[in-house]
Amino acid sequence: KVKNIAELEVVTTDLEVTEETFGEGENAFTTKVTTIDGVKYRIPVSVLKNLKAILEVKPELKAFKVKKSGSGMNTEYTIITLD
């Protein structure tokens, strides 16, 4: 089972992101994932876009946390920078 990156307390900015397809047929979907300690975590595109913008301003950032609110189509993700 793939977990959500918001389930992690701390995420480092040097994470390796890959693209994977899950499911079969019309239920198949492709998403960005990272593997940490053998566990796969899904990374929403909005998180990657926000992280990229933050790193442009603060390239020395080493760690962050993702806060998830809402559910379904109304899910929002907030990146909290950690020092």
Side-chain angles (χ1 to χ4, degrees):
K1 184 178 187 270
V2 178
K3 296 185 174 191
N4 190 296
I5 196 159
E7 295 179 55
L8 291 168
E9 285 300 313
V10 177
V11 184
T12 58
T13 56
D14 62 354
L15 52 87
E16 189 173 313
V17 179
T18 59
E19 193 169 88
E20 290 194 30
T21 301
F22 297 94
E24 294 180 15
E26 60 187 47
N27 292 328
F29 67 96
T30 301
T31 188
K32 304 285 187 185
V33 297
T34 189
T35 303
I36 300 171
D37 295 331
V39 179
K40 291 184 180 182
Y41 293 88
R42 183 176 75 82
I43 309 172
V45 172
S46 62
V47 169
L48 291 173
K49 284 182 181 176
N50 287 325
L51 180 60
K52 182 179 177 185
I54 290 168
L55 288 173
E56 286 175 4
V57 175
K58 191 175 179 179
E60 71 279 5
L61 180 70
K62 299 285 183 231
F64 63 98
K65 176 169 178 45
V66 179
K67 183 176 181 235
K68 177 181 173 184
S69 59
S71 62
M73 296 301 288
N74 294 319
T75 303
E76 291 186 3
Y77 296 92
T78 304
I79 292 181
I80 300 164
T81 58
L82 305 172
D83 291 326

